[in-house]
């Protein structure tokens, strides 16, 4: 198969538009630095807290509606072992944003925090706060890998080059404009990317639905044509897993620094809430095209298309079904626009995750622990170096698998299991927790999650759970909602250990006071006896 030069050209044009927008936004960021009452690093991290409300809505929406969301939705609907009933992303993300808008904006904005790690370091100290930052960093890097995997897979489908090379090209673009202007570059490029996604994908939907190679996708929803019906099934035994996945994606997002960067970048609490609620409406709407494309792909006889046989699923390319469908089920000129806009737009979450991790490394690790006298210039340099390093780590991970949905779920898993108990406690149970409870919960969450295992990344399972189903290969198929169970156990552990240590402190303090009082009393009695003895002698 020859390189699709027109497809390559369209991607190049869209990438150049994104870079040009990033350069323009970086100049705006420098202008804002001069007039902002805050520090230069705050302008880079939270946009000087005066981001335009429309831009804020676009960047919040684009942060969630990225490559993992768009390609992951299509992958799940197309996958004959899952189907639409398992495509919980649109509802879960809307739920996430509503919860964030209702409960997490006020405590985060009330003290003018800059990163999610600020309240942890304020409550527990800098070192403990930095340790708790580790899961957040892992989550961001896995999220970057998810987006870059989507980008690389999309580009490789079009250009017929290796996925690794495509990932490298796409990562370079995302890292470059993120380095240029911080949050301003990220936010304003998100506006362009989201517009491309909306127009490009909806333009392709009518052509894909009328493709001569595809059967009526409404019939294929409930009838086995070329594969299992794309509606999928939710067996009673799988209910626990389904609820677990829903809560994972619906609650795990409140642990992302990328979310708080956007709610902190607006001028008022009201604007921050409007941003969340508007994004909650837009996320499901923007997920509809990918769901439709996944359904049509599941209704297609691929042997009748230019793709040929075996089907993408049989070749292990379900993760790239959306760009494959655009290329082989649309007229050429439409697919060029669709794939080009998709490739440019799915990076809209990668830049957010890069800036998220880099902001916390620069402020909460370097400034608060390593070099407390660091100048603003030095902090900004560390942030830029961190963007580069996190981008390189995400790029390396993105080259290890073709499943976008894998990284999408695993990144959320890390934060949901380990961080959501910590975030909930620091914001709503602050009076009842301390650093001992936080560290105990952190260690327990890691231990339990490691013992449960994760076959998707080759982590063996050691801990048997209720409702486990042993597969033919000897591995356990988990039906118990273990992620939610770990989250609840971790939350309980944080509170219990915190209260036990506080009780122990009070007991020790009481004993010390009693001993001190007894000592003082004994000293008074001794002094009295000595005084009386001296008087008798005289």
């Amino acid at each position: 198969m020859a390189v699709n030069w027109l497809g390559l050209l369209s991607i190049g044009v869209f990438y150049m538009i994104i870079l040009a927008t990033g350069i323009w936004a970086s100049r705006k960021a420098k202008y804002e630095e001069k007039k902002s009452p805050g520090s230069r690093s705050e302008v880079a991290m939270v946009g000087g807290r005066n981001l335009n409300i429309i831009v804020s809505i676009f960047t919040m929406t684009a942060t969630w509606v990225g490559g993992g969301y768009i390609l992951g939705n299509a992958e799940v609907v197309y996958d004959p072992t899952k189907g639409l009933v398992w495509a919980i992303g649109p509802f879960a993300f809307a739920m996430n944003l509503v919860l964030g808008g209702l409960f997490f904006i006020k405590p985060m904005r009330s003290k003018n925090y800059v990163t999610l790690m600020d309240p942890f370091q304020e409550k527990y100290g800098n070192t403990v706060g930095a340790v708790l930052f580790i899961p957040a960093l892992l989550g961001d890097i896995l999220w970057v890998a998810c987006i870059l995997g989507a980008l690389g897979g999309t580009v490789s489908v079009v250009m017929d080059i290796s996925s690794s090379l495509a990932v490298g090209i796409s990562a370079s673009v995302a890292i470059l404009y993120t380095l240029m202007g911080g949050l301003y570059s990220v936010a304003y490029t998100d506006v362009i990317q989201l517009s491309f996604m909306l127009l490009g994908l909806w333009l392709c939907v009518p052509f894909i639905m009328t493709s001569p190679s595809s059967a009526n996708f409404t019939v294929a929803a409930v009838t086995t044509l070329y594969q299992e019906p794309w509606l999928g099934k939710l067996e009673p035994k799988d209910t626990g897993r389904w609820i677990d996945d829903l809560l994972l994606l619906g609650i795990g997002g409140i642990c992302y620094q990328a979310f708080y960067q956007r709610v902190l970048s607006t001028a008022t609490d009201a604007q921050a809430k409007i941003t969340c609620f508007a994004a909650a409406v837009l996320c499901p709407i923007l997920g509809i095209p990918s769901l439709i494309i996944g359904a049509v792909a599941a209704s297609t006889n691929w042997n009748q298309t230019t793709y040929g046989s075996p089907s993408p699923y049989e070749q292990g390319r379900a993760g790239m079904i959306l760009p494959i469908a655009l290329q082989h089920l649309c007229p050429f000129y439409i697919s060029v626009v669709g794939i080009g806009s998709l490739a440019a737009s799915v990076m809209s979450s990668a830049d957010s995750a890069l800036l998220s991790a880099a902001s916390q490394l620069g402020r909460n690790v370097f400034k608060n622990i390593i070099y407390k006298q660091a100048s603003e210039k030095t902090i900004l340099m560390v942030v830029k170096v961190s963007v580069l390093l996190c981008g390189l780590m995400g790029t390396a991970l993105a080259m290890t698998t073709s499943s976008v949905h894998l990284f999408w779920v695993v990144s959320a898993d890390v934060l949901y299991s380990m961080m959501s108990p910590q975030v909930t406690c620091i914001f709503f149970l602050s009076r009842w927790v301390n650093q001992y409870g936080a560290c105990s919960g952190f260690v327990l969450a890691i231990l339990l999650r490691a013992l449960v295992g994760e076959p998707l990344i080759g982590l063996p399972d050691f801990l048997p759970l209720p409702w486990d189903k042993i597969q033919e290969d000897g591995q356990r198929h988990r039906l118990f909602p273990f992620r939610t169970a770990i989250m609840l156990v971790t939350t309980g552990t944080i509170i219990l250990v915190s209260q036990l240590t506080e009780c122990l402190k009070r007991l020790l303090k009481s004993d010390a006071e009693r001993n001190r009082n007894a000592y003082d009393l004994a000293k008074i009695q001794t002094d009295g006896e000595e005084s009386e003895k001296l008087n008798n002698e005289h």
Side-chain angles (χ1 to χ4, degrees), residues 129-199:
V131 171
L132 297 177
F133 163 68
I134 294 172
L137 178 62
L138 288 175
D140 281 333
I141 291 175
L142 288 169
W143 196 9
V144 171
C146 167
I147 309 306
L148 293 181
L151 279 168
T154 301
V155 175
S156 67
V157 165
V158 178
M159 298 193 304
D160 194 32
I161 61 175
S162 72
S163 179
S164 297
L165 179 59
V167 167
I169 294 171
S170 303
S172 300
V173 175
I175 292 171
L176 182 58
Y177 73 75
T178 305
L179 285 172
M180 287 180 177
L183 184 66
Y184 272 98
S185 288
V186 170
Y188 281 93
T189 52
D190 281 348
V191 174
I192 303 298
Q193 290 160 346
L194 198 63
S195 301
F196 285 163
M197 183 185 300
L198 180 63
L199 297 175

Side-chain angles (χ1 to χ4, degrees), residues 5 39 59 73 121 127 186 213 232 235-236 256 317 322 328-329 334 371 417 420-421 449 484 487 503 508 525:
W5 291 107
S39 61
T59 187
N73 281 336
Q121 291 188 321
T127 303
V186 170
S213 305
E235 301 288 347
Y256 281 105
R317 302 185 72 190
L322 198 148
H328 296 282
L329 300 182
I334 296 296
Y371 186 27
S417 301
S420 58
R449 191 63 191 88
T484 300
M487 184 269 292
C503 288
L508 293 174
Q525 291 174 343

Side-chain angles (χ1 to χ4, degrees), residues 221-237:
V222 293
T223 305
T224 301
L225 296 178
Y226 307 111
Q227 63 176 54
E228 293 297 314
W230 57 262
L231 273 182
K233 292 181 181 180
L234 180 59
E235 301 288 347
K237 62 183 178 63

